[in-house]
Every structure is written in C-alpha cells, then in structure tokens.
Amino acid sequence: MPTLIRALAALAVTAPLAVGTAAPASAATALAASYGMTSGRLVASSAAVIGLLGVLAGGWALARPAATRAVFALVAGLIAIVGGAWVVATAEGGLGTGNGLGGGVVAIAFGLASVVVGGLSLARARRVG
C-alpha cells in the first residue's frame, strides 16, 4: 500500500507539470488580454482545489481508516471531475488563452486520483471496521 500512496502523491505533484506552460503560437495575441481571473479559470481552480482536498482526505483515510473521510474523497473527486470536464468541454481555444483549459485538465487528474484513493480507503475502512 505505501508504494501506491507514493505513486498517487507523485501523480498529484507532477500532474500540473504535465499540462505544459507554453502557449500555442496562434494564442499569442490572446495572451495579452488573459491575465485576469476569468470564469473558466475560477471554476477550474476551484475544482482542482476540491480534487486536491479529496486526495488529501483519501490519503488520511488510508492512514487511519475512516469511512467518512473516504466518502468525502469520493464525492470531492466526482465534483472535481465534473467541474474539470465542464471547463474542458466549454473552453474555446488552447492552453494559455484564459479559458481555464489547463486547470480543467489538472482538476480531472486530481479528481481521478481522489476517486481512486477514496475507493481504496473506503474498501479498507469496511474491511477494518
């Protein structure tokens, strides 16, 4: 189990790096106007934070079995997946255009990790308690 936790923690840390930081050349003109907090960025950031909280709660539930933390991790993961998928589906343009596409991808990754960790911890909590 500790190897799985380390792998999921490594995924959670490296997922934002996998998105990339370079914007496409066609988005160079849109970059100048996209420095503010747009609605897409706000939803994607919120979903990513909720997914990260779910991963942390699921890891905590794995360390000390508790069904409530595991259920929180599952619900938070589903919220993050839905929020991230909504942003990715409605984003017009690529990365760096201010539509929250990168944050949506990160939210989906955190949401999937949260669901996996929450499911594992719920199974363990039912076995233990």
Side-chain angles (χ1 to χ4, degrees), residues 1-95:
M1 270 309 169
T3 307
L4 178 63
I5 295 171
R6 286 188 197 123
L8 289 174
L11 175 68
V13 170
T14 58
L17 300 175
V19 174
T21 57
S26 62
T29 57
L31 280 176
S34 67
Y35 288 122
M37 181 60 82
T38 61
S39 62
R41 285 180 176 170
L42 183 65
V43 172
S45 299
S46 300
V49 168
I50 290 171
L52 181 61
L53 290 174
V55 171
L56 294 174
W60 192 10
L62 274 175
R64 297 182 183 260
T68 55
R69 289 185 204 124
V71 170
F72 174 79
L74 286 171
V75 171
L78 291 175
I79 291 171
I81 291 171
V82 169
W86 181 76
V87 170
V88 168
T90 60
E92 296 175 3
L95 290 172

Side-chain angles (χ1 to χ4, degrees), residues 47-48 51-52 55 73-74 76-78 80-81 106-116:
L52 181 61
V55 171
L74 286 171
L78 291 175
I81 291 171
V106 170
I108 291 172
F110 280 156
L112 289 174
S114 179
V115 167
V116 168

